[in-house]
Amino acid sequence: MNTKVGIGLRREFVDELAQQQQLHPDFIELAPENWMKMGGYWKKKLRQVTEKYPVTSHGLSLSLGSPENLDYDFIKDLKKFLDENDVQIFSEHLSYTKTNNAHIYDLLPIPFREDAVKHVASRIREAQELLGRKIAIENVSYYTPVDAEMDEADFLTNIAEEADCNILLDVNNVYVNAFNHNYDARKFISRLPLEKVAYIHMAGHEQVDSDLIIDTHSEAIIDPVYRLFEYTVNRMPEVPVLLERDFNFPELNELQQEMNNLRNITEKAWRKENANAK
Amino acid sequence: MRTLNNYTENLQHRLTEYCRTGIPDFLPGTNDKGMKHYRRLSFNIFNNTLEQAYPITHEYLDESEWLELVNGFFSGHDCQTPLLWQMPYEFYTYVEENNLKIKEKYPFLPELLYFEWLEIEVHTMEDIDIEEQYIPDKQFNDTVPLINPEHRLVQLNYPLHLKPIKEAIRHPGQYFVLIFRDPDEGNVHFINLSVVFVFALEQLSQQDLTIQQLAEMISEKFGVEDAEKIKKHLKSFFEDLFTQQAMLGYKHKK
């Protein structure tokens, strides 16, 4: 699945993807929780799409950062879903969505603390073992730290190393966090173990205040994020790249154009890399 | 071996509690603006999902009543499902099982939520494979009607499947509804049933019965002597179910 550009599957354009008229991704990504345990109309639609494209999967509710035990019943169902759909990369957020035995379905920031590194890494290792595959953990956008002992780059790096997992690098999230927390996005990226990055996400965002950007996935990717993406891919080996768009959908040709932009940047960077390797 | 300190665990619980209740909690090392964003975003996830699942209820209630209900659910109920699309079912059971003041004003509220949830449930329920051989046709003698398994048979106290909500609540009574998913398009349909046909469908769900046998059982149960007339009505009923795809055809009796 190298040098591929995909798109996140949304119900709003599932028919278009099945018909392959305006959108031509190399693969699709789906959130298992939005499709699991469903039959009928949506199962048929999902099958029409998964028969045509390779599939990656981006989890929402595994809640790798929760204090409590993993949800073993859910993991069993998740594994079945990933196997049935021949999922090639499985990723999850480095966050938590559940505490005190209650889901809240939002991606909350894990405190960047030493004990949390060990705790979350051990949960990731256990989840990987149960799922029978590596997980790529995503750097999430966060809007406040919580009594941090280290910065985000160290937190992410330490967990990825201790858990022996992969990283899903969301370049837009790096941009958003760098803006909101006033740090240098390029320096952040250069500090990461880029050899562990197995997958990249790209998306648009919304600036809601002079000092606050929200990671909405509701706008087109802006030029500074393209430039950060170019900076990133020039420093790492080929991996698949995904365009996320979850709301405020434009004309489909605009989404295709964004995928083309991403493809052009990666081909330039990784063609050069391949030539050097020869 | 436990690796997370109580302190860190407590920070995580407190952030979640703040999101659920909106009651300010000054967590160390946080910023107020970011905290408020998490409260807003997590509440919106619940509110938007429930609005989409329960459009009739949402439109019927005043906005303040709706928001109070959603707030009460978000702060007071521990959601168990990891699948967001199933969370609205927990909302229905929360309203059904708890002694909420709003139910005094709107005693039909749990049933309205149940009715709206049923449409989601039948639309999305997992496919049920038919392992038996069957004849996809209208009528065969000595064979058993095969009902589309992707259905729910329910009793309602208001005709929510027949009338708009404001009218339905003025006609309390006993209503029986077959809710099913058509196999081609996956659309959900509602059929109003008489108690006799409910009895017939319930019997069929328990054992293989021919129309003749069903007619005899109905005759005995309801004290109707003319079994032939019942048989005629049953044939017409099953023909109608077949046409609407609530019935798949006939199978041979085991």
Side-chain angles (χ1 to χ4, degrees):
Chain A
M1 281 259 300
N2 291 341
T3 327
K4 303 291 185 192
V5 177
I7 193 163
L9 177 62
R10 301 295 307 185
R11 290 193 160 86
E12 288 80 356
F13 48 78
V14 66
D15 283 330
E16 159 58 31
L17 284 170
Q19 289 156 17
Q20 298 177 301
Q21 288 181 343
Q22 292 187 74
L23 289 177
H24 304 284
D26 297 313
F27 66 96
I28 55 156
E29 179 193 89
L30 52 91
E33 291 84 351
N34 292 343
W35 302 91
M36 284 166 71
K37 294 189 175 291
M38 274 190 183
Y41 178 83
W42 288 116
K43 186 169 185 179
K44 274 186 195 162
K45 290 290 172 190
L46 179 63
R47 199 178 300 128
Q48 284 172 9
V49 176
T50 55
E51 278 169 359
K52 289 198 165 70
Y53 302 94
V55 177
T56 65
S57 195
H58 191 42
L60 299 169
S61 293
L62 197 48
S63 198
L64 291 167
S66 281
E68 55 241 61
N69 285 339
L70 291 165
D71 180 341
Y72 298 107
D73 289 339
F74 172 62
I75 290 184
K76 202 171 151 192
D77 291 338
L78 178 62
K79 181 177 190 315
K80 185 166 171 264
F81 181 88
L82 299 179
D83 289 345
E84 278 173 1
N85 289 287
D86 193 22
V87 167
Q88 304 191 12
I89 295 175
F90 174 65
S91 58
E92 246 291 359
H93 302 86
L94 186 55
S95 66
Y96 67 105
T97 60
K98 183 185 181 189
T99 63
N100 277 339
N101 193 33
H103 284 275
I104 74 161
Y105 312 106
D106 192 12
L107 306 169
L108 299 182
I110 306 167
F112 300 153
R113 300 179 66 82
E114 292 289 351
D115 59 322
V117 169
K118 292 196 175 358
H119 173 73
V120 177
S122 110
R123 282 167 61 84
I124 294 170
R125 280 196 305 271
E126 189 181 8
Q128 289 185 143
E129 201 172 314
L130 294 168
L131 290 170
R133 65 192 79 216
K134 278 211 175 190
I135 299 173
I137 51 166
E138 184 188 30
N139 57 306
V140 295
S141 46
Y142 66 102
Y143 302 100
T144 176
V146 182
D147 206 7
E149 291 177 336
M150 64 188 82
D151 66 15
E152 187 197 359
D154 282 343
F155 188 68
L156 175 61
T157 301
N158 292 346
I159 287 180
E161 281 170 359
E162 191 145 331
D164 190 24
C165 64
N166 290 324
I167 292 175
L168 155 55
L169 182 59
D170 189 314
V171 175
N172 179 59
N173 287 351
V174 174
Y175 181 88
V176 169
N177 290 341
F179 181 90
N180 289 340
H181 305 293
N182 199 24
Y183 60 72
D184 185 313
R186 293 185 179 205
K187 276 187 189 158
F188 176 92
I189 282 172
S190 66
R191 287 175 56 202
L192 296 180
L194 292 177
E195 72 284 357
K196 281 189 167 290
V197 175
Y199 192 25
I200 289 179
H201 272 185
M202 282 286 283
H205 58 245
E206 196 177 343
Q207 183 162 354
V208 295
D209 210 339
S210 59
D211 60 351
L212 184 65
I213 292 178
I214 305 287
D215 173 33
T216 54
H217 300 177
S218 65
E219 304 293 330
I221 302 166
I222 61 168
D223 286 342
V225 179
Y226 276 123
R227 286 197 288 275
L228 186 60
F229 174 68
E230 188 174 14
Y231 174 86
T232 306
V233 296
N234 271 300
R235 280 156 184 77
M236 57 173 287
E238 282 181 60
V239 295
V241 176
L242 183 98
L243 171 66
E244 294 181 291
R245 185 65 180 254
D246 297 336
F247 306 100
N248 190 27
F249 296 99
E251 295 295 323
L252 294 176
N253 61 351
E254 291 178 36
L255 291 179
Q256 183 58 49
Q257 185 54 53
E258 284 191 277
M259 283 192 279
N260 293 345
N261 295 343
L262 295 171
R263 190 173 284 118
N264 290 341
I265 294 169
T266 57
E267 282 181 356
K268 204 170 138 197
W270 288 330
R271 201 172 46 223
K272 191 168 64 185
E273 183 203 350
N274 289 340
N276 289 343
K278 284 172 192 168
Chain B
M1 192 184 74
R2 187 173 168 77
T3 46
L4 194 66
N5 297 338
N6 289 339
Y7 178 75
T8 305
E9 180 171 351
N10 187 252
L11 288 175
Q12 294 188 262
H13 291 323
R14 283 170 63 189
L15 175 55
T16 314
E17 270 311 289
Y18 165 69
C19 288
R20 292 178 67 182
T21 63
I23 299 168
D25 184 352
F26 301 100
L27 284 175
T30 59
N31 68 67
D32 189 44
K33 204 170 189 173
M35 290 286 281
K36 282 181 178 156
H37 169 69
Y38 282 113
R39 160 67 183 166
R40 182 182 63 79
L41 195 61
S42 56
F43 179 79
N44 284 349
I45 290 171
F46 273 73
N47 192 38
N48 295 343
T49 304
L50 292 170
E51 273 185 24
Q52 281 175 27
Y54 297 114
I56 303 173
T57 308
H58 176 244
E59 195 181 321
Y60 188 82
L61 298 180
D62 291 345
E63 194 60 13
S64 60
E65 291 170 332
W66 171 262
L67 290 175
E68 193 181 330
L69 198 56
V70 174
N71 256 316
F73 173 67
F74 186 29
S75 60
H77 172 80
D78 293 344
C79 281
Q80 295 301 296
T81 178
L83 309 182
L84 180 60
W85 71 268
Q86 290 183 339
M87 178 269 278
Y89 175 71
E90 295 190 32
F91 180 69
Y92 150 66
T93 57
Y94 163 81
V95 173
E96 168 75 33
E97 291 165 7
N98 286 281
N99 189 21
L100 306 176
K101 205 165 168 42
I102 196 167
K103 291 199 291 188
E104 290 170 19
K105 186 175 177 186
Y106 306 120
F108 54 86
L109 187 60
E111 183 161 306
L112 177 57
L113 292 168
Y114 177 55
F115 176 73
E116 292 200 83
W117 171 255
L118 275 174
E119 185 167 357
I120 297 172
E121 181 178 303
V122 173
H123 187 259
T124 50
M125 66 195 286
E126 292 190 80
D127 298 345
I128 300 172
D129 293 330
I130 307 290
E131 289 171 6
E132 302 154 289
Q133 292 283 325
Y134 67 94
I135 308 141
D137 206 341
K138 284 185 180 174
Q139 178 67 60
F140 282 84
N141 287 331
D142 301 323
T143 51
V144 176
L146 179 65
I147 304 301
N148 177 345
E150 288 155 0
H151 77 264
R152 293 283 183 269
L153 192 57
V154 298
Q155 182 185 341
L156 299 177
N157 297 310
Y158 302 92
L160 297 165
H161 56 303
L162 299 174
K163 298 173 192 296
I165 175 67
K166 283 183 181 167
E167 213 177 313
I169 57 177
R170 291 203 298 268
H171 297 86
Q174 257 196 339
Y175 300 90
F176 298 98
V177 195
L178 176 67
I179 305 169
F180 68 97
R181 178 167 86 198
D182 73 60
D184 294 337
E185 300 297 323
N187 293 325
V188 177
H189 307 271
F190 302 82
I191 298 177
N192 188 56
L193 297 175
S194 73
V195 67
V196 174
F197 291 140
V198 172
F199 176 76
L201 291 176
E202 283 176 345
Q203 296 307 308
L204 271 178
S205 71
Q206 290 161 20
Q207 54 182 318
D208 281 357
L209 295 164
T210 63
I211 289 181
Q212 176 66 37
Q213 289 171 315
L214 273 173
E216 287 164 9
M217 289 175 85
I218 289 168
S219 169
E220 193 182 324
K221 167 87 179 171
F222 294 93
V224 182
E225 287 184 3
D226 191 349
E228 275 308 307
K229 198 173 172 184
I230 297 170
K231 195 172 160 185
K232 199 175 143 195
H233 282 304
L234 279 173
K235 277 185 179 173
S236 163
F237 170 62
F238 286 122
E239 252 186 55
D240 185 42
L241 290 191
F242 180 79
T243 306
Q244 296 196 54
Q245 295 187 293
M247 180 177 146
L248 301 177
Y250 286 85
K251 61 180 182 177
H252 291 287
K253 197 168 187 300
K254 277 180 192 160

